[in-house]
Structure formats: structure tokens, C-alpha cells
Amino acid sequence: MKILIDNGIRLERVLGAVNPVKQLDWHIKPLLYLPPVLRLAHSLGATPRIVMPSITVGDDITFNFTDSGRPLGPEYTTIFLIRGHTFHSGVFQRLENLAGSRQLRTIALNRREYPGTSPYTIAERRVICNGSSIERADVMQQQGVLISLAVDTIIQQLSLPTGVAIAGWSLGSAFLVSMIASVNALPEDLRLRLKNHVKSFILLDPATYPLGLQNPPDAYIPLFDKTIPEQQRRSDFGKWCASYEHGDLSSRNVHQLRKRVHEGGRKATTEVMTPEELASMANLTVDFEFDTFIAEEESWRPVLAAHTNSLVSDTQIREGWGRPDIFCLYGDASVWCCIYAAWYLEEKSSEIICRSLSGANHFFKGDIVTPDDADYQKAIARWAVNAQRRAKIVAFVKDEADVGLAIKYARSAELPIAIRGGGHSPAAASSTEGGLVIDLSRYLNGARVDPKRSVVHVGGGALWDIVDSEAIKFGLATVGGTVNHELEGGGYGWLSPEHGLAIDNLVQATVVTAEGSVLTASETKNTDLFFGIRGGGCNFGVVTEFILKLHPQRKTVYAGMLVFPPPVLEKLVAVTSTWLEGAGEKEAVVQMLTMGPDGKFAILMFPFFNGSEAEGRANYKAFFDLGPVVDMTREIPYEELNSLQATVFHGQGIYMKGLAHRKPHFDSIAKAFSHVQSVSGPEFKVNVVFEYLPLSKISAVPAGTTAFRRDPTPSVLVLGIWKEDTEENTERGRKVAHELASIVAGGQEGVTEAQSLGYSNYDAEAVSGEKHSVPDKAKAVFAENYPRLQAIKKRYDPDNIFNKWFPITPA
């Protein structure tokens, strides 16, 4: 089920170089998040605001409104929001939640006849129902004047700074247009005050009927469908608003716009909301309502059309407001009447700045998948099949706002949270049984290089092959995991000998915390959080973007695979020991004890040299002198390097057990190889992987710089692999992995208890709630950093909702 609202386009891109208020294009970008019955905001349980102040203007006309509050700092932009049909100002809560962090203040007005605002008088109702065109024009102008009075009163009462924008969403655009067209009816002092403050008007997804436009012959709106029982029309209208896709609209053919698409059976937003949630933002009762009357009655169309004509053609109207910028923003996946209206405005006026938002419609930007959906199984699938869990909800988020809403809902519904980035945790850190998965992999999976700053902006769901492919286009690279490791847990990679861990190359991160705040973490901002996420994983929030250092990198490197037969093992260990003692920053080796596809046992070696093939072969001559039976090494494009092993075991059962050893030790390695041969077969096998990366650069980082525990010992990974996903195989994998870990560790001396735990990303006991999780293991893993991390945890996640991976107990 895909209810797409926005693909993350920012207003800087939408509006280009236009600057309605100084920096207003930046300030109003949260308008992309304001759609009302957003799938997450409401299927994920938005909480209605409690404090709803009001003001009185004119002849005792009261307007109720919500106010997001004054942001920190003296300079900010205020956006007045005029809501559409059926949904009152509660629908803007999502924008209110985002406002403060973006130096933005939102004030959402409830129009007449909506909660807390004065109803229409008997005289006004008579005109609405039976008045002449002149009388109705006067009533509509009066509504525009009253909104102007309300805006002016709030500006004065709250001492708002200049740089105000006023947005009308959907049917609210009719009242915004009336407000604009009624400027000459305002008292002069009021007009001048508003002219000084108001710098932009925004028509957000306006529809045909609010603008008085003639609909095409095949037009359809459930609200006006007489074949639907009156009591059902408004609920059907809400469902209809949440279900549409049009395809390629480049031809701008109105007949291509789909009019009736809810029949496809897709769940609409209103269908996944509880009655309480729906009531917090909508009025679905059948009662007299001015909105429906002006939208439905053909006799009202000329009145609304006259105001729209004034907007598009009367230059005096624009002059009366001081020639503010007027925008029309619409989603290319919105209801047909919104797209048609936007096309009309763009055709009729070159001064109205019209922009379409790709993939956007009225509601939530991301995708929600539940067990009832056809793509549910794919949504919960993982790299390791035994890491799959049956989540209640999978939220494929598109931005920080979606993440915040998902967190808020999970908390209110008391659902456990899992965060999926790359989905490569066989310990099920990115899965949850009966909980909510915040999945970054579908939309936050890109990489954007800034060659001037030598950094790359990486989405929280991106894999290293994407990062590498983008960076190398500029002759640059960063440290990426050898098997697409999770970055926050450390990040050993082929370039680590030269550039350190992945976290050592982290410049900045965007983090959504437990309360939904969007924070920047760096060496200068939220430095404690920056310390925590560099090694402390997802204990403190959801990282939606990493900014990583880039380094000059040649286009090709020497890498690949060598295969050695078992009798060579003793000589191979000896050569490896000698090589490791003198290894430099341009080289690294991974070795694996395994059974090949042909059933024969072998030692695989993956050499890497950051240079030409000739240099690499010369560097590893001692290994070649041992006589590998297979040589698949060559000079390869750099971007292929980090993916050499990434998909080898995809879709199988996997169990990981990490440990460390000080140096290659033949007796223990030989014993481990013997055990590998005794337990491996066609349906179940086990590998032992030795990662020999020169560690000088990593160890040079002072203790306490990051949360990651830096051990001067190479990592070892025991990897159980099986085909049939059964509990018995998982238990067998765990048992064999621990047996082999004990064998390998048995030949080592001088390894501390903390070092013996190995690389934290390889620990199957790291994940809370799983059968073999070890309580308080975080204390051992983070060692001397643990008390400091507890204090950080208390600040950013005091209720410990992020508790899947080595959960830290708040201080």
C-alpha cells in the first residue's frame, strides 16, 4: 500500500531562485509536510493540541486558532494556515511539531462553523442558501475581510515580526483568494499594516470548485454524488482524497487525470484512523455547512470565479498588497481537481509561481505496510532470513518528519521500535515482533557528493556500494564496511588502515530523537550526541543522514579472491604473520576457512592493495609463492571493492559470533578448520573469517573521542550459514559458532575480557528481546565509556525506547 505525498523535494528546488521573503523559501519548506490526514500522522496517532486560543473581530466574530509558539531566536517566519473542507486546524499539527526547529511559527485558523469559531448568522445562512449573486459576493468578501482582521489582530497581539506568509490549503484557497481580492475593502490603516507584514500568499493544492472553475464533463467528487447516501458522502470523500495516481502528466491532458480511483481498494488514510484520531481533526457529521454549499451549488461558481479572475488579472489587487509573491504548490499525485486548478492558474497568470511536487498528494509522504498488504512479506524480509520478524507496522519514511511521527505513534501505542538502515543485522536488530519498523532503506538511501567540501551526504538507509559509486566519480572515497557494516557501530573497511573507522570520518549527522526533535550532531553542535552515535549505535535516535569525509582515491585497486588448499594452512599462517607485522596503510587482507560450492574445503583469501595490479602482486608475492589453486585477483574499479562479499550469503539463515585475537596462531586456526570440516555440509556450513587490517590509524584516536571501544586486536567472525529457516538450525548455528569462537580464542594470550568480545557489530547477543540476548552486555562492550553513555542516554532517550542494539540503561 503506497500513499505517496512527497519525495523529499525541498522548496529551494521547488521555487528555484525565487525568494518571497528573505530566506522564506527555506522557512516554508515544512509546508511540504503539512498535508492533513497524513497516513503516519493519523494512522500513527497524532495527538490533538489542547490549548486553542481565540480572538474576536468585527461584530463579535470569534476565530479559534492553534499556535506552534515562538521559536528560539529573534528572527523567524510566521505562516498562517487556512484549512480545507471537513478537516479543521488540528490537521496542521504535524507542521506545528516541526516548526520550532526550523525557525518557523505556524498559526492555523479555524474558519466559521468549525470548532471554537463563530457560526454563520441566520441572515448569512439565508444569503448562502438563497441569496442573489450580489449578496453572495458581499458575504464572500466579508469572509475575506474577517480573515484579514483576524490575521492583523493576531500579528499585533503576538508582536509577530514582518515576513508573514498566508497559506490556503484545498478549499481554504477559496477564502485565501477572497482575502486577497478584498484588499480594497479593508480600512486603510489595516491594509497598510498587513502590507508591511505579509510578503507571500501560498495556494496549496487548490481545487477547481474553490476557485469557481468549470469542471470537465467527466468530473467526479464523492461529496456531490447523489447516489451515495448523504450520511456516507463525507466519509467517502475522505477515502477518495487518499487514493489516486495519474501516471505521466507531461502532456497536461485533463482526460488523463483519473477521477475515480478509490475503487481500486487501496486503504485510505481515514480507514486506518481510530474514531478518536479522526475526531481530533475532522468533522464528519452531516449538518449545515457553508463549505459544502459553495462547493456544490453551481450558482456559487460565478462568485468564486470573480475573485479568482481578480487574483490572476487585476494588477491593482497585487499593488494593494505591495506586490507579494503568490505561489501555487500542488502534488502530481493529488486529486484530479487540484492538478487541473493548478494548470489553470499557471496558464492564466505568469505572476503566480506554480510548482508541482513529484510524488506528492494531500497526505503522508512515505509508505505504510501492514500484515494485510500484498507487499508485507517483502517489507519484513531481511538479509538473514532468521532475522525476519512479523512487525505490526512498517513505515517507509521519507524524511525526519515521517520519522518523528512514527516515533510518536509507537510511543502512544506502546509498540517496540526497530530501525532498519541496510537490514544487514542477522541478530534482528532491524526487526521487531509485533512492533513498528522505521525503515530508511526505500527512500533515504541515496548519496550526494559535495566535491568542493570533500564530503558526501549519505541517507540513513544507503548501502556502501551507492556511496562508493557516487564518490569515485569525483576521484574520492570514504571508509566503507567490508560487508556493508552498520556505520554507527564503528565501521571497519578496506580503507581503515589509511583513514580510520567509518565513524572517524563522520563530520555530521541528522538525528531524530525520542521526543521527535530533529538535531544536528557534530564536533560543534550537540557534541555529546555526536560522541554517542559514533560507536553507540541507535541508542540515541534515528540517524536520517550522515555527512562523511572524502579522500582522494585512485579509480582502480587491486583485489579479488585467492583459493588455497587445506595442506597450505600452516605456511599460510606463517606468511600472514610476517606480512601483518610490516603491513602498511594501503593494504589489508581477509581470510576465510570454508567449504566451497563444490563441497571441497579451502582457505579463501581476499587481498587488497590500493594501487595497481602489478604493485599488488608484488606486495603479496610471498602468498603467491604458496601456490594458490585459484587466482581471481585483478585490478578492479574501486566501487566494486566493498561489494565483493556483500551478497554472498543473502537470503539464507545466518548466525554471527565475533571475537578477537592478537595474531595468527596456527594450532588454534588448524583446530578451528578441522571443526569447520566436521560440522559443514550441503545444507549447513560454518565459516571462520579473519580480518587483518593494520590498526595503527584506528588505535591512534585518543580514548574518549568516540563511544567505540578501540581494541588493538584483529577481528574474527564465526559465521554459521544454512538454507532452511528453522529454529533448530538457528540453535545449531549459535552452538557451533560459540564452539569455534572458543577454539580460536584458546590459542591467544594477553587478550582482555573486553577485547575477547570482538567487534560489536558481529555480536548476536546484542539485540534485546531475542532468545539469546545477554542483559547488560552493553556495559562490557562500551567498557569505560558506559557511564558517559548512560548520561547521554538520559538526555536524549530517558524512556529507553531505542533499545534494540546493546541497549544502554539511562543514568
Side-chain angles (χ1 to χ4, degrees):
M1 161 189 3
K2 300 178 181 178
I3 298 191
L4 304 175
I5 302 292
D6 161 11
N7 65 355
I9 288 181
R10 296 293 181 258
L11 273 178
E12 295 97 312
R13 288 172 57 193
V14 173
L15 303 182
V18 178
N19 197 13
V21 184
K22 289 182 179 179
Q23 295 187 338
L24 184 60
D25 54 341
W26 180 85
H27 285 303
I28 66 175
K29 70 180 178 183
L31 276 175
L32 299 178
Y33 311 139
L34 70 35
V37 272
L38 348 130
R39 180 92 187 210
L40 266 185
H42 310 308
S43 83
L44 302 191
T47 304
R49 291 181 64 90
I50 298 174
V51 179
M52 298 182 74
S54 61
I55 48 110
T56 300
V57 300
D59 296 330
D60 293 325
I61 301 299
T62 298
F63 283 89
N64 178 280
F65 65 94
T66 60
D67 178 11
S68 66
R70 177 173 181 158
L72 296 175
E75 296 183 2
Y76 61 90
T77 297
T78 302
I79 301 180
F80 284 82
L81 303 162
I82 305 173
R83 57 120 193 99
H85 193 292
T86 301
F87 297 92
H88 53 70
S89 61
V91 305
F92 297 115
Q93 184 187 351
R94 181 179 193 176
L95 182 58
E96 294 171 1
N97 294 339
L98 290 170
S101 64
R102 289 162 170 77
Q103 289 303 106
L104 178 71
R105 186 171 192 168
T106 62
I107 295 173
L109 287 174
N110 265 349
R111 295 189 280 103
R112 304 280 295 279
E113 293 214 320
Y114 281 76
T117 296
S118 298
Y120 292 99
T121 65
I122 294 176
E124 288 173 321
R125 290 185 177 216
R126 181 194 65 77
V127 171
I128 291 168
C129 294
N130 301 304
S132 66
S133 294
I134 295 176
E135 289 176 317
R136 287 176 169 177
D138 287 339
V139 166
M140 201 63 193
Q141 183 183 75
Q142 182 187 19
Q143 305 318 305
V145 170
L146 287 172
I147 292 175
S148 293
L149 285 167
V151 169
D152 176 66
T153 302
I154 294 172
I155 287 174
Q156 293 187 69
Q157 286 189 1
L158 300 180
S159 300
L160 300 179
T162 58
V164 167
I166 304 176
W169 168 71
S170 194
L171 182 61
S173 60
F175 294 85
L176 177 60
V177 171
S178 292
M179 176 188 179
I180 297 171
S182 302
V183 64
N184 293 327
L186 302 178
E188 185 64 7
D189 59 337
L190 169 61
R191 186 188 68 81
L192 291 175
R193 285 196 301 272
L194 290 176
K195 178 181 177 181
N196 180 58
H197 272 80
V198 178
K199 304 301 180 184
S200 294
F201 294 106
I202 305 165
L203 300 169
L204 185 63
D205 250 355
T208 53
Y209 54 90
L211 301 183
L213 305 184
Q214 183 69 54
N215 286 324
D218 60 343
Y220 177 76
I221 299 173
L223 200 63
F224 314 144
D225 188 345
K226 302 298 185 183
T227 67
I228 300 175
E230 187 177 10
Q231 294 81 1
Q232 186 181 328
R233 286 177 204 161
R234 296 182 71 181
S235 61
D236 278 11
F237 173 73
K239 296 175 185 178
W240 174 78
C241 283
S243 307
Y244 28 66
E245 290 178 355
H246 304 289
D248 182 11
L249 297 178
S250 58
S251 65
R252 297 209 164 189
N253 183 349
V254 66
H255 299 295
Q256 187 181 343
L257 297 174
R258 298 179 64 181
K259 314 300 191 305
R260 301 171 182 248
V261 287
H262 185 62
E263 298 165 2
R266 179 186 304 165
K267 284 186 179 178
T269 306
T270 51
E271 290 182 303
V272 295
M273 294 164 60
T274 67
E276 294 76 15
E277 292 165 354
L278 192 56
S280 73
M281 66 201 66
N283 176 13
L284 295 179
T285 59
V286 178
D287 196 359
F288 174 87
E289 190 178 322
F290 182 48
D291 285 5
T292 302
F293 219 92
I294 68 167
E296 182 178 9
E297 289 296 315
E298 176 65 22
S299 57
W300 265 98
R301 194 176 62 80
V303 175
L304 302 174
H307 282 173
T308 300
N309 289 336
S310 296
L311 173 70
V312 300
S313 60
D314 192 338
T315 57
Q316 291 186 352
I317 296 294
R318 299 287 295 273
E319 291 294 341
W321 286 101
R323 299 196 63 79
D325 287 314
I326 301 178
F327 297 95
C328 174
L329 304 180
Y330 68 100
D332 66 7
S334 273
V335 180
W336 71 267
C337 50
C338 296
I339 299 175
Y340 186 50
W343 288 351
Y344 173 88
L345 293 174
E346 189 170 25
E347 178 184 346
K348 294 296 182 180
S349 176
S350 60
E351 294 192 355
I352 296 178
I353 306 163
C354 293
R355 295 290 184 269
S356 67
L357 308 179
S358 178
N361 64 27
H362 262 24
F363 309 127
F364 171 58
K365 297 182 291 303
D367 306 340
I368 294 297
V369 177
T370 66
D372 294 332
D373 295 311
D375 56 346
Y376 175 73
Q377 205 60 38
K378 183 178 180 181
I380 64 171
R382 294 294 182 268
W383 179 61
V385 294
N386 54 308
Q388 178 176 298
R389 302 291 182 270
R390 291 191 63 80
K392 184 175 182 179
I393 298 172
V394 180
F396 289 98
V397 295
K398 282 195 171 182
D399 56 26
E400 294 81 10
D402 283 353
V403 174
L405 289 166
I407 292 171
K408 178 178 290 187
Y409 174 71
R411 298 192 68 165
S412 66
E414 298 183 348
L415 294 177
I417 294 173
I419 304 163
R420 181 187 180 185
H424 282 82
S425 168
S430 63
S431 302
T432 174
E433 187 70 33
L436 184 147
V437 176
I438 299 173
D439 197 315
L440 311 174
S441 66
R442 182 174 291 180
Y443 297 113
L444 298 177
N445 58 7
R448 177 175 58 85
V449 175
D450 182 345
K452 292 183 178 179
R453 294 179 56 209
S454 291
V455 297
V456 58
H457 297 249
V458 181
L463 297 180
W464 287 117
D465 58 349
I466 300 295
V467 180
D468 295 335
S469 296
E470 291 301 309
I472 200 63
K473 293 176 183 177
F474 301 90
L476 299 169
T478 191
V479 178
T482 55
V483 286
N484 280 333
H485 298 160
E486 298 289 340
L487 187 150
E488 293 172 81
Y492 289 96
W494 294 110
L495 299 185
S496 288
E498 187 172 3
H499 303 303
L501 297 169
I503 59 169
D504 297 332
N505 290 272
L506 182 61
V507 176
Q508 181 176 299
T510 301
V511 186
V512 183
T513 65
E515 63 177 18
S517 298
V518 182
L519 302 179
T520 298
S522 67
E523 291 284 6
T524 58
K525 296 180 180 179
N526 300 302
T527 55
D528 55 347
L529 182 60
F530 192 54
F531 169 84
I533 63 173
R534 289 181 295 163
C538 54
N539 264 289
F540 312 102
V542 182
V543 178
T544 57
E545 182 184 68
F546 302 94
I547 300 180
L548 299 166
K549 294 178 190 174
L550 292 173
H551 309 278
Q553 174 60 45
R554 56 180 286 129
K555 296 283 187 176
T556 59
V557 297
Y558 173 69
M561 184 176 70
L562 300 173
V563 180
F564 293 94
V568 179
L569 179 61
E570 184 170 7
K571 293 180 179 179
L572 180 62
V573 171
V575 170
T576 302
S577 296
T578 301
W579 165 82
L580 188 58
E581 290 176 359
E585 63 180 16
K586 292 185 177 295
E587 54 194 310
V589 164
V590 171
Q591 294 176 353
M592 181 187 301
L593 310 177
T594 188
M595 182 184 76
D598 58 358
K600 296 180 179 180
F601 292 92
I603 306 103
L604 306 185
M605 175 173 157
F606 300 88
F608 162 71
F609 188 83
N610 202 353
S612 67
E613 179 174 354
E615 292 172 312
R617 289 187 177 277
N619 187 72
Y620 294 113
K621 181 179 182 303
F623 291 96
F624 282 101
D625 289 344
L626 298 177
V629 294
V630 176
D631 178 3
M632 299 175 64
T633 62
R634 59 188 176 87
E635 196 165 324
I636 65 172
Y638 172 79
E639 60 269 28
E640 295 180 10
L641 178 65
N642 281 325
S643 297
L644 286 177
Q645 299 164 263
T647 60
V648 173
F649 311 118
H650 202 287
Q652 301 183 70
I654 298 173
Y655 188 92
M656 284 184 176
K657 170 62 181 171
L659 68 148
H661 69 325
R662 297 199 68 84
K663 60 182 180 179
H665 182 267
F666 170 69
D667 289 342
S668 61
I669 293 175
K671 188 176 180 181
F673 199 12
S674 176
H675 197 54
V676 166
Q677 297 175 55
S678 68
V679 299
S680 296
E683 302 298 320
F684 179 98
K685 72 173 184 176
V686 61
N687 298 334
V688 183
V689 182
F690 300 86
E691 296 184 351
Y692 297 120
L693 311 177
L695 300 173
S696 298
K697 184 75 174 183
I698 296 171
S699 300
V701 176
T705 302
T706 68
F708 186 74
R709 188 191 75 247
R710 294 170 191 270
D711 297 331
T713 49
S715 292
V716 180
L717 168 63
V718 181
L719 195 63
I721 308 158
W722 56 92
K723 292 183 179 180
E724 187 179 359
D725 182 25
T726 65
E727 181 63 30
E728 292 74 19
N729 275 337
T730 300
E731 181 60 31
R732 183 184 178 190
R734 188 194 71 82
K735 179 176 179 293
V736 171
H738 280 259
E739 290 171 352
L740 280 163
S742 297
I743 293 172
V744 173
Q748 302 297 315
E749 295 180 357
V751 177
T752 67
E753 181 179 354
Q755 291 171 357
S756 67
L757 297 173
Y759 181 32
S760 54
N761 275 339
Y762 291 160
D763 200 320
E765 300 170 347
V767 180
S768 65
E770 296 298 318
K771 181 178 179 180
H772 300 294
S773 62
V774 176
D776 294 329
K777 193 166 187 180
K779 292 181 180 179
V781 169
F782 298 118
E784 66 274 8
N785 288 326
Y786 188 70
R788 183 177 175 184
L789 292 171
Q790 284 186 288
I792 299 171
K793 182 76 167 179
K794 182 177 181 180
R795 179 176 182 184
Y796 295 103
D797 183 20
D799 299 322
N800 199 18
I801 68 166
F802 301 120
N803 56 25
K804 287 289 290 182
W805 185 84
F806 287 119
I808 296 167
T809 303

